[in-house]
Amino acid sequence: MDPAVLTLIVLGVAAFFFVTELIPLAVTAMGASIALGLLGVLTPKQVFSGLSNSTVVLFAGMFVIGAAMFQTGLAQRIGITVVHAAGTGEKRLMAAIMIVTIILSSVSSNTATVACLLPVVVQICAVARLAISPQLMALAVAANVGGTITMIGTPPNILMSATLSASGLQPFGFFEFAWIGIPLSIAGVIYMLTIGRRLCPHGHVDSNLSDLTSDLPKDTRKMTICAIILILVVIAMALSKTINVPMQTAAIIGALACVITGCLSEKQAYGGIDWTTIFLFAGMLPLAEAMDKTGAGAMIANGVVGIIGSNASPLIIVMAMFLLSCGLTQFMSNTAAAALLAPIGISIAQSIGVSPFPVLMAIGIAASCAFTTPVATPPNTLILGPGKFRFMDYVKVGLPLVVVSMIVCTVIIPLVWPF
């Protein structure tokens, strides 16, 4: 059978398991890569090439640094300080929550950020007798949009860069995502302060939830050390080309420094790594390579172009990929959705003779616009119980925000990354 057809069959099976999650995501990704090897589409070396990819190393390093932020209490201290300074007014509190969440999510796990700040928000709402649901929804939205600001903020961003690099193209820079991530974050804050909070239920905090507290470590020295390490790593990544230090090297040095200085133990460092993301990533990169080498991606691209028309404007292509990526990410892992669409996006761009950069940026950003279901992203799931949300609450709040996000992306992406 033709290798391209075999690749598409494996892709279809992987997509089914990604959506249903009948088996773990990482198992699906690695299983797809291994299946391509057994079918002769990939060589044994190519099957496991993703495990040695520099992107995987970068992720591992940043997971450890992010874990150190929460282990030392640095993230909690930042959150509590900012939120307390804002007072107990509903809008001021919401703005403070979103700003600190966006900042933390841009350089660390958005899931860990929400898990850390959730008890702080619950406690303040209980004391101030404020409705908790709008504040928690704002927390989740901020975590999702905040991750779009840097390359390491969310897995889809770094996957877009890795896909470009694997295709022989210049990857996105560390802060290049900020051109769209910052406007998207501002739009998210404005939306929640005006429309979004009105669409949320307005129940108050349960007495059992009000007992939640955030215990902070007493060792402020470790907090300071962790903050310095984080700042130096971010600076090194931003200046990686100037100082000739690869980003993955800076991340690993920072991770090692966190362990050596005692910000977290070796065991805690291992525990802080999201191995699901690591293996999901490592498994999807060989699949992306197979789609490129066998022509499977080109076949899908030709099909999409055939549907929307060969003379469709590049803007229509961007909007179509945004909607497809955003639609998928509401019901499956945003990393998986981005991984499926990234090589297809490159093939579509090449087939109509336009730059792949705006297309991939639209796919990556859309994968983070996971607002309309409680299963779209872990932050959404974390707030489900404490906020007493129903499924339709996410739809009511999230659907207009998806439209706002698409408008922001449609306007800004072509300006920054011309076709």
Side-chain angles (χ1 to χ4, degrees):
M1 190 179 292
D2 183 66
V5 175
L6 289 173
T7 301
L8 289 177
I9 292 173
V10 172
L11 175 66
V13 174
F16 170 78
F17 284 113
F18 276 141
V19 173
T20 60
E21 294 197 38
L22 293 176
I23 58 177
L25 296 176
V27 175
T28 297
M30 293 303 298
S33 182
I34 292 172
L36 290 171
L38 294 175
L39 292 170
V41 177
L42 295 175
T43 66
K45 183 178 180 180
Q46 290 173 323
V47 169
F48 300 105
S49 61
L51 289 170
S52 61
N53 187 277
S54 61
T55 300
V56 173
V57 177
L58 172 60
F59 253 146
M62 291 311 299
F63 277 136
V64 173
I65 295 173
M69 290 177 63
F70 294 98
Q71 191 63 39
T72 61
L74 175 62
Q76 294 95 321
R77 176 62 57 85
I78 294 172
I80 291 173
T81 301
V82 173
V83 171
H84 279 196
T88 56
E90 184 181 17
K91 285 188 176 181
R92 289 184 61 189
L93 178 61
M94 182 176 289
I97 290 170
M98 295 192 76
I99 290 171
V100 71
T101 304
I102 286 169
I103 293 172
L104 289 174
S105 295
S106 69
V107 293
S108 64
S109 163
N110 57 6
T111 303
T113 298
V114 172
C116 157
L117 294 181
L118 191 150
V120 178
V121 175
V122 168
Q123 188 69 29
I124 292 176
C125 288
V127 172
R129 302 295 299 165
L130 291 175
I132 188 173
S133 300
Q135 304 295 340
L136 291 184
M137 185 63 78
L139 177 67
V141 167
N144 290 325
V145 297
T148 64
I149 293 177
T150 68
M151 183 189 295
I152 61 171
T154 185
N157 284 11
I158 201 163
L159 181 58
M160 294 304 105
S161 290
T163 304
L164 286 170
S165 181
S167 301
L169 300 169
Q170 178 68 33
F172 291 118
F174 183 82
F175 282 117
E176 195 169 352
F177 292 90
W179 288 107
I180 181 66
I182 290 177
L184 187 64
S185 297
I186 293 173
V189 172
I190 294 174
Y191 171 80
M192 285 305 302
L193 288 175
T194 53
I195 300 172
R197 67 185 183 89
R198 300 179 186 278
L199 299 176
C200 293
H202 279 70
H204 289 282
V205 183
D206 285 346
S207 58
N208 61 324
L209 286 177
S210 64
D211 293 332
L212 290 171
T213 58
S214 292
D215 295 325
L216 293 176
K218 303 297 183 181
D219 194 346
T220 57
R221 182 184 65 86
K222 290 183 179 179
M223 289 188 200
T224 303
I225 292 173
C226 184
I228 293 172
I229 291 172
L230 175 65
I231 292 170
L232 291 176
V233 168
V234 171
I235 292 174
M237 287 182 174
L239 302 175
S240 60
K241 293 181 180 179
T242 304
I243 62 178
N244 199 29
V245 175
M247 286 191 288
Q248 64 270 19
T249 302
I252 292 299
I253 291 174
L256 293 174
C258 287
V259 175
I260 292 171
T261 57
C263 291
L264 77 173
S265 67
E266 181 185 6
K267 184 177 180 179
Q268 290 168 336
Y270 291 136
I273 297 175
D274 186 340
W275 293 105
T276 297
T277 298
I278 294 294
F279 282 101
L280 177 60
F281 223 70
M284 290 308 296
L285 287 178
L287 177 57
E289 182 180 357
M291 291 183 65
D292 180 44
K293 301 298 183 183
T294 64
M299 290 174 63
I300 297 176
N302 292 334
V304 173
V305 172
I307 294 173
I308 63 178
S310 57
N311 295 322
S313 70
L315 202 59
I316 296 297
I317 298 288
V318 167
M319 291 180 65
M321 297 309 294
F322 182 97
L323 289 173
L324 182 57
S325 178
C326 187
L328 286 176
T329 200
Q330 307 306 323
F331 300 97
M332 62 189 288
S333 158
N334 59 0
T335 307
L340 284 172
L341 295 177
I344 297 173
I346 288 183
S347 297
I348 290 176
Q350 292 173 341
S351 69
I352 62 175
V354 300
S355 168
F357 296 103
V359 178
L360 257 67
M361 183 58 69
I363 292 172
I365 295 298
S368 294
C369 294
F371 309 125
T372 65
T373 70
V375 297
T377 185
N380 290 12
T381 307
L382 282 171
I383 67 168
L384 178 65
K388 288 190 173 181
F389 291 109
R390 297 172 300 169
F391 187 93
M392 287 307 298
D393 291 327
Y394 290 87
V395 176
K396 286 193 300 183
V397 177
L399 201 55
L401 184 54
V402 167
V403 175
V404 170
S405 301
M406 186 176 69
I407 293 173
V408 171
C409 289
T410 303
V411 171
I412 294 178
I413 287 178
L415 294 178
V416 181
W417 300 275
F419 293 106

